[in-house]
Each structure stands twice: as structure tokens, then as C-alpha cells.
């Protein structure tokens, strides 16, 4: 298998109030297990900006982590929504979550990205996890203007990277369940069939990459918190359709699923089936797990890695809580 990339980011969606650092003993166990399998490159994220994270870095950052085969972790950002709410921005009850600030407070987003970079992060994730055209339409924003706000998320990440002279931007593209704002990204219970999901992901991705200026594209595409096999298939179809319509290759994409265990997605579908679908999609370069209990990670790697061929892995669990009644609660 080609160099595998394991990413440990500490939370579910980019705004999850439960995001926290992966417990050090488990992190060490995951790294040890993965390193024994192949030459590895790791993506790891932080909880929040601060000097302690910067002190953990042992080597200088790399500009293209997705192509490296290094053993040193590459640090992703942490919980953007968590950091924003800690700064006094109420997001939990908003259907757009942090995507609301693309219009209302873009400078705040630049500062938040920059704070993670200052702490040692090498990749910042855009405030677009819960972006939807319907969500902005409900605020009276027309489709073209909303598409501009979607692309603004990448621009704001670029501004933060320019401030620090380094960094990459990953465009966060959450599950369709996230935009329903009812926790459906943790169940897979949607009001659309596969064709409807393909249409949703195709429209949003095409809008993100609209126009001739490739400089406005993100470095990475991050399809996150996908809870069911039907949406895994839909995303792969959407990415393939958008790629076919473009004259240039798409940015490398990762697809991470949300799981009830290392062997099952939150919907009950098999991790192995999802891994096989992702492995067959040329545009998906990374497959992994997020917004899931740390205890699921080892089994997830065991099940998924042998099925991925030359794909790499992205791993970023939460701290083991469950999302219920619009809040994070201790797991029983």
C-alpha cells in the first residue's frame, strides 16, 4: 500500500462543541499501530490555539502534507466552531453554524484561522461545514451571492495563511445531514434518496470550484461526518461528475465517515462497504473516520486499511461523547 496518512483531529463537525484533544495514550497507540504497518504520514489536529501546541512540534511544517511520506505528524486545525463560540459567537442554534460568519464577521474567521496557524497548525479548515444554499436563502441571500460566500471561506483561509507565510486550506463540506440541523449526520436518516444527495453535493462542490481562477480553489476538499453508505456513494458520484466537467484536476479530496464502532457507520452500514466505494473513486485520495469515539479508531484502521489500495487514511475522532437533543452528552 502507498504511504498511508492517518489524521487525528479531535472533533466531529467543524463546529462541534465536544471537540477535544485525542487522549495521549490512545494517540500513541494509534501511531504505533499505524507505523508498524507502513511508512506513514500523519495528520493530527489541536483542540484550540495556544503555546502548548506549538511546543509539541518537533520539525518545521511541510507545504504539501498530502504528498509526503513522513513519520512526523502534520497538524490540522482544531474545532473552529468551538473556538468561535468560546469567543462569544453564538452558533449552536443557527442552521448555518459557523458559515453564518462568512457574511456577518469574516475578519473573525481570518483571526481564528490565524490563531490555529500561530499555534502550529499546518492546515486550516474553512467555515463551510454547514453551508447550504437553502440556509442562506432563508436569510434572503440569493444563490449567486451565497456561492460567493462559499468561496469566501477559502479566501479567508488564504488570508490567514498569508499572514503566517505558510499553511494549506481544506474546504469543509459536511454531510447533507449537517445542513438539516437536527443531528442527522449522526444517524443517516435523511429526507433525500441517493439521487437527491448527488444533486446536493454536486451543486455545492461545483459552486465552490466555479470560475476560471484556479488560484481560488482550496488545497484540499474535506467531505466530513458522512453517516451512511448511500451518502458515501452519492459523494463519490458528485465528485466524479464535477471532475469530468473541469479542465483541471480537482484538489485532493478526503471522505471521512461517522461511526458507531470501528466496523459500522452510524447508520449501521458496514465500514468495509464504505471503504470499498471510496477506494473505487479516483478523486477520493483519503478515506477515514471523524466525529466518532476514540475507541473505534483501532478497529476502523484494521477494517478499512486493507481495502483502500493506494488511498491514504484520515482519522480524527471526538472525545467519546454522543450528540443528542442538540447537545453533546456523555456516552452511556
Amino acid at each position: 500500500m502507498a504511504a498511508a496518512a492517518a489524521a487525528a483531529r479531535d472533533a466531529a463537525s467543524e463546529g462541534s462543541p465536544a471537540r477535544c484533544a485525542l487522549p495521549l495514550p490512545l494517540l500513541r497507540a494509534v501511531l504505533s499501530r499505524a507505523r508498524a504497518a507502513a511508512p506513514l504520514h500523519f495528520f493530527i489536529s489541536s483542540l484550540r490555539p495556544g503555546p502548548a501546541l506549538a511546543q509539541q512540534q518537533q520539525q518545521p511544517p511541510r507545504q504539501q502534507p498530502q504528498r509526503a511520506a513522513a513519520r512526523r505528524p502534520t497538524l490540522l486545525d482544531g474545532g473552529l466552531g468551538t473556538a468561535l463560540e468560546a469567543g462569544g459567537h453564538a452558533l449552536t442554534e443557527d442552521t448555518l453554524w459557523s458559515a453564518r460568519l462568512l457574511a456577518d464577521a469574516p475578519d473573525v474567521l481570518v483571526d481564528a484561522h490565524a490563531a490555529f496557524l500561530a499555534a502550529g497548525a499546518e492546515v486550516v479548515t474553512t467555515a463551510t461545514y454547514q453551508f447550504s444554499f437553502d440556509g442562506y436563502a432563508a436569510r434572503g441571500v440569493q444563490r449567486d451571492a451565497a456561492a460567493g460566500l462559499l468561496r469566501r471561506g477559502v479566501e479567508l483561509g488564504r488570508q490567514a495563511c498569508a499572514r503566517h507565510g505558510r499553511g494549506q486550506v481544506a474546504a469543509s463540506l459536511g454531510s447533507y445531514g449537517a445542513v438539516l440541523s437536527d443531528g442527522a449526520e449522526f444517524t443517516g436518516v435523511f429526507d433525500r434518496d441517493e439521487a437527491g444527495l448527488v444533486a446536493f453535493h454536486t451543486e455545492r462542490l461545483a459552486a465552490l470550484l466555479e470560475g476560471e481562477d484556479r488560484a481560488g480553489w482550496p488545497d484540499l476538499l474535506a467531505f466530513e461526518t458522512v453517516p451512511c453508505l448511500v451518502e458515501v456513494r452519492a459523494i463519490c458520484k458528485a465528485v466524479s461528475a464535477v471532475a469530468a466537467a473541469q479542465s483541471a484536476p480537482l484538489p485532493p479530496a478526503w471522505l471521512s465517515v461517522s461511526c458507531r464502532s470501528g466496523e459500522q457507520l452510524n447508520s449501521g452500514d458496514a465500514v468495509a462497504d464504505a471503504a470499498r466505494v471510496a477506494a473505487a473513486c479516483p478523486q477520493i485520495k483519503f478515506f477515514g473516520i471523524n466525529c466518532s469515539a476514540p475507541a473505534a479508531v483501532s478497529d476502523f484502521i484494521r477494517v478499512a486499511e486493507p481495502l483502500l489500495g493506494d488511498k491514504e487514511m484520515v482519522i480524527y475522532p471526538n472525545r467519546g461523547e454522543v450528540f443528542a437533543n442538540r447537545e453533546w452528552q456523555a456516552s452511556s
Side-chain angles (χ1 to χ4, degrees), residues 146-214:
L149 291 170
L150 176 62
R151 294 188 290 273
R152 177 183 286 179
V154 177
E155 177 187 342
L156 299 177
R158 289 264 182 253
Q159 290 178 25
C161 291
R163 186 182 299 181
H164 286 272
R166 62 175 179 81
Q168 291 190 296
V169 177
S172 177
L173 300 166
S175 165
Y176 172 71
V179 309
L180 297 178
S181 231
D182 62 359
E185 69 268 43
F186 307 111
T187 65
V189 178
F190 298 160
D191 59 4
R192 292 194 182 198
D193 59 11
E194 184 172 331
L197 293 172
V198 172
F200 168 79
H201 285 288
T202 300
E203 180 185 27
R204 185 171 60 174
L205 180 58
L208 176 69
L209 304 179
E210 200 171 89
E212 297 299 321
D213 184 10
R214 300 302 193 265

Side-chain angles (χ1 to χ4, degrees), residues 10 30-31 40 85 98 130 155 191 198 230-231 236 238 242-243 263 267 282 284 310 324:
D10 48 325
V30 170
L31 296 181
L40 292 174
E85 290 202 314
S98 61
Q130 211 154 307
E155 177 187 342
D191 59 4
V198 172
V230 65
E231 190 169 32
C236 290
V242 173
E263 298 182 348
S267 62
I284 301 297
D310 62 355

Side-chain angles (χ1 to χ4, degrees), residues 106-275:
D107 289 346
V108 168
L109 295 176
V110 176
D111 289 343
H113 292 318
F116 282 117
L117 290 165
E122 298 167 62
V123 179
V124 295
T125 310
T126 60
T128 53
Y129 172 83
Q130 211 154 307
F131 173 95
S132 72
F133 290 106
D134 288 345
Y136 264 110
R139 292 167 57 94
V141 179
Q142 298 298 312
R143 194 238 180 238
D144 286 350
L149 291 170
L150 176 62
R151 294 188 290 273
R152 177 183 286 179
V154 177
E155 177 187 342
L156 299 177
R158 289 264 182 253
Q159 290 178 25
C161 291
R163 186 182 299 181
H164 286 272
R166 62 175 179 81
Q168 291 190 296
V169 177
S172 177
L173 300 166
S175 165
Y176 172 71
V179 309
L180 297 178
S181 231
D182 62 359
E185 69 268 43
F186 307 111
T187 65
V189 178
F190 298 160
D191 59 4
R192 292 194 182 198
D193 59 11
E194 184 172 331
L197 293 172
V198 172
F200 168 79
H201 285 288
T202 300
E203 180 185 27
R204 185 171 60 174
L205 180 58
L208 176 69
L209 304 179
E210 200 171 89
E212 297 299 321
D213 184 10
R214 300 302 193 265
W217 285 12
D219 300 298
L220 298 157
L221 302 172
F223 294 95
E224 304 185 276
T225 326
V226 180
C228 54
L229 183 61
V230 65
E231 190 169 32
V232 172
R233 291 197 302 262
I235 289 170
C236 290
K237 290 179 179 179
V239 174
S240 297
V242 173
Q246 291 287 344
S247 59
L250 300 191
W254 82 59
L255 193 162
S256 57
V257 293
S258 61
C259 297
R260 63 173 62 168
S261 72
E263 298 182 348
Q264 288 186 310
L265 309 188
N266 277 330
S267 62
D269 295 321
V271 165
D273 290 340

